[in-house]
Amino acid sequence: MTVHTGQSTAKAAGEGARGRGRATGERPGRLRRALSTHWYAWTMVAPVVIVLGVIIGWPLGRGIYLSLTDANERNVGRTIGANHIDATYKFVGLDNYVDVLNDPVFMQRLWWTVVWTVCCVASTFLLGLVLANMLNREFRGRAAYRMMLILPWAVPGFVSVFAWRFLFNRDNGLLNKVLDGGGISAVPWLDDPTWAKFSVIAVNVWLGVPFMMVAILGGLQSIPGELYEAAEMDGAGPWKRFVYITIPGLRSVSSTVILLSTIWTFNMFPVIFLLTRGGPGDSTEILVTQAFRQAFVESPRDFAGSATWGVLILAVLMIFALVYRRSLRKQGEVW
Amino acid sequence: MSSQRGKRSPLASVGLHATLIGASVIAVFPVLWVLLTSLKPAKYAITTDFFKDTTLDNYRYLVDKTSFFTWFGNSALIAGVTTLLGVFISATTGYAVSRFKFPGMRPLMWTLLITQMFPMAILIVPLYNLMGQLGLLNQPVGLIITYLTIAVPFCAWMMKGFFDGIPVEIDESGRVDGLNPFGTFWRLILPLAKPGLAVTAFYSFITAWGEVAYSSAFMVGDENLTLAGGLQTFVTQYTANWGPMTAASVLIAVPAAVFFLFAQKHLVAGMTAGATKG
């Protein structure tokens, strides 16, 4: 048994250049052969496949289905004590999508979500790039600066958000006290739509810069030093070296971190939910917080509406990922 | 960088340090301020004095008057189990994907990548209903399962990157010594992949420790809350109990920060390697 599987996976674990598994042919015994060859691999990935299938696949399918119904708190099936109430919601086709897309609220939220994502990602990336370039030099105290600069990353996000809420407090927050000390009147950080937008972006940038910085730093260190020396020999100044060596050298790292942080920011729930609850009014509500609000904050809970928003968010992200991937392909990236 | 060595003018040096000091202050200050506030009596929480009658009263209040340690226990249990399961599941998957060529591998890789894109908004309602039907609302198990769905795809992806960096010859020597594939994985490869395991553990832990949306929706009742939910009870729309809130923040941040310090060296290598080597 051991010997047999050892041999078969030995082959499988080799280079696999022969395209194992690509052969098509439905001869009897093929399944058994495949099983005996691949059972180790399949067993090892089984937990993930099961987890993904049951806990992501099923809810995803169900979410899409819910978005085609009129499900809400009142008509979904539920069990209260010993009584079971059957679900009474019904299939309504694409009505929810028509409603949401015709509702100006969706476009408002989408627009603000895009603004929020672009501002956050652009600012974190630029700040991360600047700081990484500084930290990539040799000077005294570099390790200490590095430690301090990654600190926001080490603190759980929701703790940081509360810390900022504390600093932003209109009457008692430190920021306003400092401004007051400088003779500047208090700023309604979280109570005015424009300032609230500024504040949530600032906090998210604060949270996101350490990751960007460290990722870019890793990318910088993988650029061979000889390139810089050669460029310097040729008389290229610091700016030219930055533009012609550093930027191209960082391309694969930056394309990855920009994609990741765009997706994360687009779906960034805690910052907005905990800092402003989408307020004041609904001025900082992004798509995901809106979807959450419909299902868990408002009454009656609108499950179908929330699911519809969820599907639309996923669609927007998928389109973004496809466009992004295509634009990278054009530049010759493999991703 | 050698090309820069010894060429910086004093002015540039001052600029460099000034910028970095400014950035460090912005990075550290909010955290430091919370720490200092937590050591002041609650009535001074909103003053600008850095130190004022330093005391542990806020911490005492947390222990005596709130369910903080219940929440802490809930979070620790949930994050701990999520980490253990997450690391194990994603390590075996990462290894299989890195070493074996098997039918279904490419679709699996794509699925892992795409699930990172899923907004919780689309899964949360069906999961809520599912957990409700299974009686798992308000149960740690429900949240553990949910968090695995967030952590595992990304972790498996990162682990693949780490395993790709371990030479295949080691696997081959293991087989020559008569180990079966799982034995090779368990005895030879896993010990070499420790940095990867550290990153995966950290990512799973922090996902569970810092998650807000699912835990706010799934857990109700003072004794079932996790830390993210518990902390929200200190700060409502109109009132804020800043003293205990800052003390709680400190206690929540410490385990995460300690864990982070151990993992941070390998963190980004794993995160970016996983995503670029697709």
Side-chain angles (χ1 to χ4, degrees), chain A residues 48 55 206 229 256 277 301, chain B residues 2 26 93 128 149 232 276:
Chain A
V48 166
I55 308 293
W206 185 85
E229 279 162 28
T256 305
R277 298 258 160 191
R301 298 168 161 201
Chain B
S2 50
I26 295 174
T93 303
Y128 181 81
T149 68
Q232 287 178 52
T276 46

Side-chain angles (χ1 to χ4, degrees), chain A residues 9 41-42 44 48 55 59 136 145-146 158 162 166 174 177 206 211 214-215 229 232 256 267 269 277 301 317, chain B residues 2-3 7 17 26-27 29 46 89 92-93 100 103 117 119-120 126 128 149 181 209 232 242 264 268 275-276:
Chain A
T9 34
W42 281 341
M44 286 177 108
V48 166
I55 308 293
N136 197 35
Y145 284 126
R146 200 186 116 113
F158 70 93
F162 279 116
F166 180 47
L174 185 72
K177 297 228 157 157
W206 185 85
F211 167 70
V214 179
E229 279 162 28
E232 212 174 359
T256 305
N267 290 330
F269 176 81
R277 298 258 160 191
R301 298 168 161 201
L317 280 174
Chain B
S2 50
S3 58
K7 302 201 77 179
H17 281 280
I26 295 174
F29 188 76
I46 52 175
I89 296 178
T92 54
T93 303
F100 304 138
M117 228 177 269
M120 65 74 191
Y128 181 81
T149 68
W209 193 250
Q232 287 178 52
W242 295 114
Q264 57 109 354
V268 169
T276 46

Side-chain angles (χ1 to χ4, degrees), chain A residues 98-295:
Chain A
V98 174
D99 289 350
V100 170
L101 292 173
N102 280 330
D103 187 353
V105 171
F106 179 77
M107 287 321 281
Q108 278 168 27
R109 297 289 182 274
L110 179 62
W111 173 241
W112 160 237
T113 309
V114 170
V115 171
W116 144 266
T117 308
V118 171
C119 288
C120 286
V121 174
S123 316
T124 35
F125 183 74
L126 282 177
L127 285 170
L129 186 64
V130 169
L131 291 172
N133 268 291
M134 291 186 150
L135 287 180
N136 197 35
R137 302 164 186 214
E138 279 173 21
F139 58 92
R140 203 176 295 180
R142 185 166 72 156
Y145 284 126
R146 200 186 116 113
M147 278 305 282
M148 288 191 280
L149 289 172
I150 59 174
L151 186 75
W153 195 7
V155 179
F158 70 93
V159 172
S160 306
V161 172
F162 279 116
W164 278 99
R165 232 179 115 150
F166 180 47
L167 294 172
F168 277 142
N169 192 285
R170 186 211 277 253
D171 299 321
N172 300 316
L174 185 72
L175 287 178
N176 278 342
K177 297 228 157 157
V178 170
L179 288 181
D180 195 35
I184 303 167
S185 57
V187 173
W189 298 105
L190 301 176
D191 304 323
D192 169 81
T194 312
W195 278 110
K197 285 180 176 172
F198 170 83
S199 305
V200 287
I201 291 176
V203 170
N204 197 48
V205 169
W206 185 85
L207 286 171
V209 163
F211 167 70
M212 278 289 186
M213 184 188 78
V214 179
I216 295 172
L217 196 55
L220 285 177
Q221 280 162 357
S222 69
I223 302 174
E226 296 87 58
L227 284 180
Y228 288 99
E229 279 162 28
E232 212 174 359
M233 295 283 213
D234 295 344
W239 179 248
K240 279 208 158 160
R241 280 177 303 197
F242 180 73
V243 172
Y244 292 107
I245 300 176
T246 309
I247 296 292
L250 285 177
R251 184 161 285 163
S252 91
V253 169
S254 18
S255 62
T256 305
V257 290
I258 288 177
L259 176 69
L260 280 180
S261 85
T262 304
I263 292 170
W264 288 340
T265 311
F266 201 88
N267 290 330
M268 178 57 78
F269 176 81
V271 171
I272 287 178
F273 181 72
L274 297 179
L275 207 58
T276 64
R277 298 258 160 191
D282 51 14
S283 55
T284 55
E285 201 88 75
I286 58 172
L287 294 169
V288 283
T289 56
Q290 171 80 29
F292 185 87
R293 177 199 282 246
Q294 289 191 6

Side-chain angles (χ1 to χ4, degrees), chain B residues 139-203:
Chain B
Q139 301 282 336
V141 182
L143 274 189
I144 290 171
I145 297 172
T146 310
Y147 291 161
L148 282 177
T149 68
I150 309 173
V152 163
F154 196 44
C155 289
W157 197 262
M158 288 195 288
M159 285 309 295
K160 178 194 183 289
F162 277 102
F163 289 130
D164 282 347
I166 298 174
V168 188
E169 286 77 37
I170 293 176
D171 299 59
E172 280 157 11
S173 75
R175 271 193 307 277
V176 170
D177 292 343
L179 286 171
N180 64 22
F182 191 79
T184 313
F185 164 72
W186 189 254
R187 297 218 203 143
L188 296 181
I189 303 299
L190 220 45
L192 289 174
K194 268 185 195 148
L197 296 177
V199 172
T200 323
F202 174 73
Y203 186 80

Side-chain angles (χ1 to χ4, degrees), chain B residues 203-240:
Chain B
Y203 186 80
S204 311
F205 176 81
I206 217 68
T207 302
W209 193 250
E211 204 282 330
V212 175
Y214 287 111
S215 77
S216 302
F218 290 5
M219 306 301 248
V220 287
D222 201 40
E223 75 286 356
N224 294 318
L225 293 180
T226 60
L227 290 169
L231 204 55
Q232 287 178 52
T233 64
F234 289 134
V235 184
T236 65
Q237 193 93 41
Y238 305 103
T239 63

